[in-house]
Amino acid sequence: MSSKTTNSVVRSAAWRISLWATLAFALGIMLAFVMLHSFVANDIQRRTDAWLTGEVGVLGDVAARTPKDRLYGRVVREVAELASREVPDKLRSNGDENDSVFFLQAGDDGTLKLWVGSGDGQPNLAAIRAQKFISDVPYDLNVKGFNHPFRVASVRLDDGSHIYLGLSERDELHVLNNLRFRFFCLWVMLVLFGFSIVFFVTRRMLGHVREITEAASQIGQSDLSSRVPTSKRNDEIGHLALTLNRMLDRIENSVHQLHTITGALAHDLRSPLTAIRGKLEIALSGDLKGEQSEPLVTAIDELDRLTEFLNVSLDVAEAKADALQLSLTEVDLDELIRVMIDLYEPSMSEKGLRVNLRSTGPVTIVADAALLHRVIANLLDNELNHLPASCTVSIRLGSNENAATLVVEDDGPGFASEIAAHMFEQRVKGRDSKGHGLGLAFVEAVVLAHGGSVTASNRPGGGALLSVSWPCNTGDKIEALAF
């Protein structure tokens, strides 16, 4: 599996949902196991305490009525053997003696009167003496030399002596340790199994959402007839697909109406303008004196400006409405910019401007060639119309595997401060500008329609800087690159 595939899985919603669901599931199972373990431990403890309490009472009665001879010791050993069988999964003792149970009788002066168990009983007696209180209920007793505590029950005889019966908690702890280990293994298996189930189900459910997203991303300005896939499932995802398709129906109808309105508006306005211009040209071709022809020439220029303003306004309106119709082809930006510079260089030289081009070579993108031509023309027009003489326009073109970037900068006065934050809005222009304030708005609209981005700012050292970026793959949103 490639790293790219791994990253896509790790970053997916199915992965995150599975992690959170598994975390909740793991905590729930762990809590259940903890409660079950506590119940089992308490039950074992309760059984042990009940047995110790009963047996120590029996031993007390035997000790009160039986002389201290061999029969007494035999009875005690039998009780000890019974004690050794009380705990299931019993561990074998490492020594020859049974060290899981001890019986101890201490006189009223604290001396050891009778001992049955492993060793001489002195460590057990010392541990009992170290107890600061005598409890009527079984308690834990740590004896020096033993790795595990004893559970001890005691009873007081009529002669003032005490009988202690201790049962090692070694076997009980062994059982609980085994139980914890098995719970842990079962918990791990349940968590992995739960994660696999949740991830599989979530990924399958979100797979349809991913199909809808991919289909929706393919629906662009040039193709509004496509629809996202639907399913027969009557669930939230099925409702989402139907809702998106109904929304696309409304958008397609709105865009169609917009094209119809703009087309009709353009035709209704261009036709009379063209007719007026033709009549003015006919009148201009007549026998007119210089002072008589000058108003006609001015009128024709104004008509040309009005026609251009009309065309650009309609294009910007369509682009802003995401309804610009693109005819996508492969365009070599390097070749296009060199052609445009050849066209503009005479006018710039006449004004005293210099143009420098630095390009890394052919840069091919998928774009509408006619619109791209107008974008470059607008950028160069902007430099030609607003720069004073003796300025230099530097154009840089580069690309990487994701985007192609065009940077146009100059050493002129830069953008006016009052329009710095609104340079891409329609009808926004500098105080001395004679244009319509649509050039940069058109540039941004076209670039965004191609999935690119454009930025404009003043250089720290003076002058303006425009950076335009186009994605190498149409439809991707790519940020402007810094050179």
Side-chain angles (χ1 to χ4, degrees), residues 251-263:
I251 293 176
E252 185 179 17
N253 290 333
S254 298
V255 171
H256 178 70
Q257 292 178 3
L258 178 62
H259 282 305
T260 302
I261 292 172
T262 54

Side-chain angles (χ1 to χ4, degrees), residues 416-450:
S417 57
E418 64 269 17
I419 65 169
H422 311 282
M423 286 182 289
F424 294 109
E425 295 180 7
Q426 298 181 58
R427 308 289 298 167
V428 173
K429 58 182 181 179
R431 191 174 305 168
D432 300 328
S433 175
K434 298 179 181 177
H436 303 296
L438 295 173
L440 290 182
F442 176 78
V443 170
E444 185 194 41
V446 173
V447 171
L448 293 180
H450 285 81

Side-chain angles (χ1 to χ4, degrees), residues 261-316:
I261 292 172
T262 54
L265 180 63
H267 180 268
D268 292 344
L269 289 178
R270 283 172 186 156
S271 295
L273 290 176
T274 302
I276 294 172
R277 192 178 191 283
K279 292 178 180 179
L280 290 175
E281 287 180 343
I282 292 174
L284 187 62
S285 62
D287 187 13
L288 297 176
K289 296 181 180 179
E291 60 274 13
Q292 293 176 325
S293 61
E294 186 175 352
L296 297 179
V297 173
T298 303
I300 292 175
D301 290 341
E302 291 297 327
L303 284 176
D304 290 340
R305 284 169 51 83
L306 181 58
T307 302
E308 181 186 2
F309 174 75
L310 174 64
N311 292 332
V312 175
S313 296
L314 292 176
D315 290 339
V316 172

Side-chain angles (χ1 to χ4, degrees), residues 37-38 40-45 48 86-91 100 140-143 146-151 167-183:
H37 177 274
S38 177
V40 173
N42 291 335
D43 185 67
I44 293 176
Q45 188 75 76
T48 302
E86 279 298 310
V87 179
D89 199 14
K90 176 181 176 297
L91 291 177
S100 62
D140 290 337
L141 181 69
N142 291 307
V143 180
F146 291 86
N147 296 327
H148 302 91
F150 284 88
R151 191 72 176 173
L167 179 63
S168 174
E169 298 185 24
R170 178 187 60 194
D171 298 333
E172 176 183 334
L173 295 177
H174 175 68
V175 171
L176 294 178
N177 286 336
N178 283 341
L179 188 63
R180 282 195 292 269
F181 176 74
R182 292 171 183 173
F183 277 174

Side-chain angles (χ1 to χ4, degrees), residues 272-392:
L273 290 176
T274 302
I276 294 172
R277 192 178 191 283
K279 292 178 180 179
L280 290 175
E281 287 180 343
I282 292 174
L284 187 62
S285 62
D287 187 13
L288 297 176
K289 296 181 180 179
E291 60 274 13
Q292 293 176 325
S293 61
E294 186 175 352
L296 297 179
V297 173
T298 303
I300 292 175
D301 290 341
E302 291 297 327
L303 284 176
D304 290 340
R305 284 169 51 83
L306 181 58
T307 302
E308 181 186 2
F309 174 75
L310 174 64
N311 292 332
V312 175
S313 296
L314 292 176
D315 290 339
V316 172
E318 286 191 343
K320 293 288 185 182
D322 209 16
L324 199 61
Q325 292 181 322
L326 303 178
S327 179
L328 299 177
T329 57
E330 288 190 350
V331 180
D332 185 352
L333 272 176
D334 179 75
E335 180 182 357
L336 175 61
I337 291 173
R338 291 181 187 278
V339 170
M340 296 299 295
I341 289 177
D342 289 341
L343 290 175
Y344 276 83
E345 194 166 23
S347 300
M348 289 187 173
S349 297
E350 183 179 352
K351 192 176 178 180
L353 302 178
R354 295 180 295 275
V355 181
N356 296 325
L357 173 64
R358 191 172 66 186
S359 173
T360 58
V363 176
T364 302
I365 64 172
V366 178
D368 187 302
L371 292 174
L372 201 60
H373 185 279
R374 292 173 61 185
V375 166
I376 305 299
N378 274 347
L379 293 177
L380 295 179
D381 276 338
N382 192 59
E383 301 290 350
L384 181 62
N385 295 330
H386 298 94
L387 282 182
S390 303
C391 289
T392 300

